[in-house]
Amino acid sequence: MDFLNPVFDGFGVVVQPANLLYCVAGVVIGMLIGVLPGLGPAATIAILLPVTYGVEPVSAIIMLAGIFYGAQYGGTITSVLLRLPGEASSVVTVFDGFALAKQGRAGTALGIAAIGSFVGGTVSIIGLTLLAPVVAGFALDFGPPEYAALALFGVLLVATVGNGGRLKSVIAACLGLLLATVGRDTFTGADRFTFASLDLADGIDFVPIAMGLFGLGEILYNLEERQHKRQEPAKISTVWPSRQDLRQSRGAIGRGSVIGFVLGVLPGGGATLSSLVAYAVEKRRAKEPERFGRGAIEGVAAPETANNAAATSSFIPLLTLGIPANATMALMFGALLIQGIPPGPQLVSEHPDLFWGVVNSMYVGNILLLIMSIPLVGVFVKILRIRPAVLAPITVLITLLGVYTVANRIFDIFLVIVFGVLGYLMKKFGFEPGPLVLAFVLGGLMEIAIRQSLLIFGGDVTGFFTRPISGTVLAVLIVVLAFPIVKQVRKSRQKSKELV
């Protein structure tokens, strides 16, 4: 019963009028941003980071969390109605969602997506409630060697799981690690890659990088890509799925919840990977896999359930270990630091109001999503008719003003422009900015942890393997890295035998 006391106290935090208002605002903004192609939660959270500086920590994180999981459903609307995913995690929904819309069943697809999103999100929140305190208690045994191993695992895993191709993801992650070294060395005080600039002496701040890559870069890219791709949204009739639709979708929703929860916890996993895996699983299990891509209701239910479950479970490593599992969680990491609250094992015990307030706000947010998603569909369809050329300048202005207000430095505006151009070029040539941002965040943590560990071990690298937790993490890391190599060697041998 002692375990339940802080959980109930968390509900008391959520029902405070201000926090409820921020929860509603976050969910609505998230849905709205999900509808607008190209922005997404990462860009929106990056743009709103300066705004959270003057807001109470609990309210700020509740709002940003609502934006994250609210955007997962918002992206579904454009995927179904326009064959244009508003979110990367909604790309898979296009395959069957738009096919259902062409059959006159757009409302059914949106309805089943809303139900799946609610179920997946709720299952994942329950898992977060039960698992997060256990992970946090376990993480109290973590020292510099354990954090070094975890950070290294996160960087290497996200570098091989990114969406832009393995080599391109590795290159982006390496660039992020390089950027993390800019500034004055914490241990020796020596300047690194500052080029005698006082503005770079303290390193590159997280906010200009995030707002440049995800905000300005995405806007520039989407203006070029979508200015000639205007089409009318499909019409919506009924929005409630039939009993047969629910019967066909229940297995997909159940499996999508589990897949999303598990993959959301993993570094580099997240909503996009979860939706892809859930869709692939349903297609492989189906007795008639040829239905997929032609309007299979399971092809909407599975990915939409998985991406919402993953959006919630990705908070576990952030809040309990201080390790962001994906690019958006890296932005949440920055938001917590702006509030002066370092995420990690001590968060549960030192800031229980924030921890349980954010977790329990997700129950409320998911209910709000279910209630509002269907009635607001008509409003979002009207928003889709606003020209990108009108929205883009407003967003750019907010971005530049926002980054200036963080430290009142003109230099930060130039940084946003530089990283905006870099973000545009990365998208243009198939590089995803996610691995760069994640590696930048983890790079600073990893360097400090590794150097502290080497001081503890007297410079002996084998010390990492003598500690149970860090040794286990590094052993798993070696297996993960060795698996594709062994697989490639086996394929080469198999081809050699066939040629002989």
Side-chain angles (χ1 to χ4, degrees):
M1 292 300 295
D2 292 337
F3 163 73
L4 295 177
N5 289 334
V7 179
F8 292 136
D9 292 340
F11 280 111
V13 172
V14 177
V15 297
Q16 293 177 9
N19 292 334
L20 273 177
L21 180 62
Y22 278 105
C23 183
V24 174
V27 169
V28 173
I29 293 172
M31 291 180 67
L32 176 61
I33 291 304
V35 168
L36 297 174
L39 277 179
T44 307
I45 291 173
I47 292 169
L48 291 178
L49 279 180
V51 178
T52 63
Y53 189 76
V55 180
E56 287 295 319
V58 178
S59 301
I61 304 305
I62 284 176
M63 181 182 69
L64 296 181
I67 291 172
F68 183 37
Y69 56 80
Q72 305 306 319
Y73 181 75
T76 310
I77 297 172
T78 49
S79 296
V80 173
L81 301 181
L82 288 177
R83 202 181 183 183
L84 186 65
E87 251 302 289
S89 58
S90 300
V91 171
V92 186
T93 310
V94 168
F95 304 152
D96 289 279
F98 188 69
L100 285 167
K102 288 196 296 184
Q103 298 169 13
R105 302 182 65 203
T108 301
L110 293 173
I112 204 69
I115 294 171
S117 298
F118 174 75
V119 173
T122 303
V123 169
S124 195
I125 296 166
I126 294 172
L128 173 61
T129 303
L130 298 175
L131 187 60
V134 177
V135 175
F138 175 71
L140 289 174
D141 297 329
F142 278 38
E146 287 72 26
Y147 275 105
L150 267 179
L152 179 61
F153 185 84
V155 170
L156 291 181
L157 189 56
V158 79
T160 57
V161 178
N163 300 324
R166 183 166 297 179
L167 178 60
K168 291 180 178 180
S169 295
V170 170
I171 293 173
C174 289
L175 180 58
L177 291 175
L178 178 63
L179 291 172
T181 64
V182 174
R184 191 172 289 112
D185 189 304
T186 308
F187 290 83
T188 65
D191 288 338
R192 302 183 300 186
F193 306 112
T194 60
F195 305 102
S197 170
L198 292 177
D199 291 310
L200 291 175
D202 292 328
I204 301 175
D205 193 49
F206 172 80
V207 176
I209 292 180
M211 296 178 77
L213 290 176
F214 288 103
L216 188 57
E218 290 284 344
I219 292 167
L220 293 174
Y221 177 77
N222 284 285
L223 273 177
E224 180 186 38
E225 289 294 310
R226 295 194 170 107
Q227 62 178 340
H228 301 301
K229 297 182 180 178
R230 293 186 57 79
Q231 49 182 308
E232 288 299 315
K235 293 182 179 180
I236 300 176
S237 53
T238 178
V239 294
W240 297 113
S242 64
R243 288 185 179 180
Q244 183 180 357
D245 291 327
L246 291 172
R247 195 179 304 112
Q248 286 181 310
S249 303
R250 61 188 180 188
I253 291 174
R255 287 182 289 271
S257 300
V258 176
I259 291 170
F261 179 81
V262 173
L263 293 183
V265 175
L266 299 178
T272 304
L273 181 64
S274 300
S275 62
L276 286 167
V277 172
Y279 186 87
V281 167
E282 293 308 312
K283 187 173 182 179
R284 179 164 293 187
R285 284 180 52 89
K287 295 180 180 178
E288 301 175 11
E290 63 275 5
R291 290 192 305 110
F292 284 76
R294 300 179 181 177
I297 195 70
E298 308 97 295
V300 174
E304 286 304 311
T305 303
N307 64 32
N308 273 267
T312 301
S313 65
S314 58
F315 279 87
I316 293 178
L318 173 71
L319 297 177
T320 60
L321 300 176
I323 302 292
N326 52 58
T328 308
M329 287 299 103
L331 293 164
M332 296 291 291
F333 183 96
L336 284 165
L337 292 181
I338 287 175
Q339 296 289 344
I341 301 174
Q346 303 294 336
L347 183 64
V348 181
S349 56
E350 294 182 1
H351 302 280
D353 56 335
L354 185 144
F355 180 84
W356 290 111
V358 171
V359 171
N360 291 342
S361 73
M362 297 180 188
Y363 288 105
V364 178
N366 267 276
I367 294 172
L368 290 173
L369 268 176
L370 184 64
I371 295 172
M372 295 189 301
S373 57
I374 303 304
L376 289 178
V377 166
V379 177
F380 291 140
V381 169
K382 290 181 181 178
I383 292 172
L384 289 173
R385 295 188 171 92
I386 299 176
R387 294 177 59 194
V390 176
L391 290 174
I394 298 173
T395 309
V396 170
L397 179 62
I398 293 172
T399 300
L400 296 179
L401 287 175
V403 75
Y404 178 76
T405 58
V406 174
N408 295 325
R409 294 197 312 171
I410 297 293
F411 182 74
D412 288 342
I413 294 179
F414 287 110
L415 280 180
V416 169
I417 295 172
V418 169
F419 283 108
V421 173
L422 176 62
Y424 163 75
L425 293 174
M426 289 180 70
K427 294 284 287 184
K428 184 80 173 174
F429 293 101
F431 289 83
E432 286 294 325
L436 187 156
V437 174
L438 184 58
F440 175 79
V441 172
L442 293 178
L445 299 174
M446 184 171 65
E447 182 191 7
I448 293 174
I450 288 176
R451 294 174 73 174
Q452 287 176 338
S453 301
L454 290 175
L455 288 174
I456 294 172
F457 299 141
D460 184 7
V461 180
T462 59
F464 288 99
F465 294 92
T466 60
R467 294 170 67 106
I469 299 175
S470 61
T472 302
V473 172
L474 290 174
V476 173
L477 175 60
I478 292 171
V479 171
V480 170
L481 292 175
F483 181 75
I485 298 173
V486 172
K487 191 176 180 180
Q488 188 63 38
V489 170
R490 286 183 176 179
K491 281 186 178 180
S492 301
R493 288 181 178 178
Q494 189 71 22
K495 287 181 179 179
S496 300
K497 289 179 180 179
E498 290 175 358
L499 291 173
V500 173

